[in-house]
Amino acid sequence: MDVKGVLGMISFDGEWITITKTPVGSRPAPVRIRAADVTGTRLKPGSRLFHGYVQFLLPGASAGGEKAGVMHGGRPPYEDPHSLSIPRKSNDAAEKLVAAIEQARG
């Protein structure tokens, strides 16, 4: 199960979540998270004007808060390794991904 995001993607194989961000000019550095280790998920759907995001909450890690501003407003910072911004066209896939992860957690 894959969700294409803004400058990256999230994959879920039933047990592991892989967030691969593709920064400009450097190699992607994937972050792997076991679904059983996730304590919560946040999903903010994208709209016509603004991107949304998917964020995973882990014990002992501080969740990146939403930034303010015109370009990045309402999303966690790009540097947050446990989140990814998503465009509006990925809303349905992101909802299915979050539901599958919640089911795997439980």
Side-chain angles (χ1 to χ4, degrees), residues 80-104:
D80 180 10
H82 306 125
S83 68
L84 184 68
S85 296
I86 57 169
R88 181 174 162 238
K89 65 183 178 183
S90 295
N91 284 345
D92 292 338
E95 286 179 23
K96 291 176 185 174
L97 175 90
V98 168
I101 291 169
E102 289 293 332
Q103 185 176 3

Side-chain angles (χ1 to χ4, degrees), residues 2 7 9 16 21 28-30 32 35 40 52 65 68 73 75 91-92 94 98 100 104:
D2 297 327
L7 297 175
M9 71 180 308
W16 289 91
K21 294 188 179 185
R32 289 179 50 98
R75 294 183 282 163
N91 284 345
D92 292 338
V98 168

Side-chain angles (χ1 to χ4, degrees), residues 42-79:
R42 291 183 184 165
L43 171 64
K44 181 176 181 180
S47 67
R48 286 184 184 256
L49 298 176
F50 299 104
H51 295 302
Y53 67 88
V54 177
Q55 185 176 46
F56 304 102
L57 307 175
L58 299 169
S62 61
E66 293 184 1
K67 290 175 72 174
V70 176
M71 294 299 289
H72 302 286
R75 294 183 282 163
Y78 180 80
E79 296 80 25

